[in-house]
Amino acid sequence: GESVGLHLPTLSVQEGDNSIINCAYSNSASDYFIWYKQESGKGPQFIIDIRSNMDKRQGQRVTVLLNKTVKHLSLQIAATQPGDSAVYFCAETSSWNAGNMLTFGGGTRLMVKP
Amino acid sequence: NAGVTQTPKFQVLKTGQSMTLQCAQDMNHNSMYWYRQDPGMGLRLIYYSASEGTTDKGEVPNGYNVSRLNKREFSLRLESAAPSQTSVYFCASRTTGGGNQPQHFGDGTRLSIL
């Protein structure tokens, strides 16, 4: 089946720098996308979401960009802090998807150097 | 407001033993989900319950059963545990009002099967 794909890299950034985490998806029917943050020993924590009728959405220090043409999603974290160190997952679903089943990518580990 | 609560947090089983993982949410959500997370992989859906009284298979349902006990509680049962079921199990819930909404996760049950 189609799936959201993420390589599983480790992104290392300096504290205070901006971070960009990328995600490619393959299901052209997907119309709702979510970014989750997972800290060690914890469950995924909702960060921000975006619907397919938008290209950009901003939250507190985070921005999600959606490029439907190339099926690409990114999460930008401004002024990265040590507390941002975690694994980040993108997830996608379709309004036609019974039960709103999410398909998750494999995750990207963000490491923030003090 | 506890959100999604999972019990137990840790469990070790022998092959062939049975076990029920408990999940409860206090957010009055209609939909509930069970995922497993294996090292280096994203979350994979085992079963879900779109609303009280209904359950459906996800991506990896074999070897599991579920019960939606009431609106708050959704349990996952392993009838005869196998080493391949060693994983971290996450429960999630979601409101179904107002269009697409994110799923909210518990902190997981870490299950080892010897």
Side-chain angles (χ1 to χ4, degrees):
Chain A
E2 295 180 292
S3 65
V4 175
L6 261 183
H7 297 294
L8 193 59
T10 295
L11 177 63
S12 185
V13 300
Q14 202 70 38
E15 181 178 358
D17 287 351
N18 296 333
S19 302
I20 299 176
I21 301 171
N22 296 304
C23 175
Y25 66 94
S26 58
N27 187 351
S28 57
S30 295
D31 59 6
Y32 179 56
F33 304 87
I34 308 170
W35 280 101
Y36 286 94
K37 172 186 180 183
Q38 187 175 24
E39 297 174 284
S40 181
K42 297 288 189 179
Q45 176 188 358
F46 168 76
I47 303 173
I48 192 167
D49 58 2
I50 189 168
R51 292 168 176 76
S52 60
N53 60 351
M54 302 172 70
D55 297 322
K56 178 180 179 179
R57 190 168 188 216
Q58 289 183 293
Q60 186 177 13
R61 284 201 306 118
V62 295
T63 300
V64 55
L65 299 178
L66 175 62
N67 186 329
K68 295 180 287 294
T69 301
V70 295
K71 299 189 185 70
H72 185 267
L73 192 68
S74 68
L75 177 70
Q76 300 178 359
I77 304 173
T80 312
Q81 302 170 359
D84 295 326
S85 294
V87 177
Y88 289 81
F89 294 94
C90 62
E92 52 92 10
T93 189
S94 164
S95 298
W96 300 104
N97 184 323
N100 188 237
M101 291 185 287
L102 293 175
T103 300
F104 283 84
T108 295
R109 182 175 302 281
L110 177 64
M111 296 180 62
V112 182
K113 296 177 288 186
Chain B
N1 189 342
V4 179
T5 302
Q6 294 184 237
T7 56
K9 295 188 185 306
F10 302 92
Q11 185 70 47
V12 179
L13 295 177
K14 295 180 179 179
T15 298
Q17 286 186 314
S18 61
M19 170 77 188
T20 299
L21 280 59
Q22 306 289 350
C23 174
Q25 52 89 10
D26 61 4
M27 297 176 282
N28 201 35
H29 286 170
N30 290 322
S31 298
M32 298 185 73
Y33 306 81
W34 275 106
Y35 293 87
R36 61 178 288 172
Q37 185 176 37
D38 299 303
M41 298 182 71
L43 287 83
R44 292 183 294 168
L45 183 65
I46 304 171
Y47 270 93
Y48 69 98
S49 171
S51 61
E52 187 178 358
T54 68
T55 60
D56 286 285
K57 295 178 180 179
E59 180 185 357
V60 288
N62 291 344
Y64 305 95
N65 285 298
V66 290
S67 295
R68 183 73 183 267
L69 304 171
N70 47 56
K71 191 172 185 178
R72 289 186 63 248
E73 298 173 287
F74 188 39
S75 63
L76 178 72
R77 183 162 179 84
L78 287 70
E79 289 291 352
S80 179
S84 61
Q85 294 177 304
T86 293
S87 190
V88 183
Y89 291 85
F90 289 99
C91 177
S93 70
R94 183 184 77 97
T95 185
T96 53
N100 284 316
Q101 297 290 337
Q103 295 178 21
H104 297 271
F105 288 81
D107 282 336
T109 293
R110 284 142 187 85
L111 184 61
S112 293
I113 298 157
L114 307 177

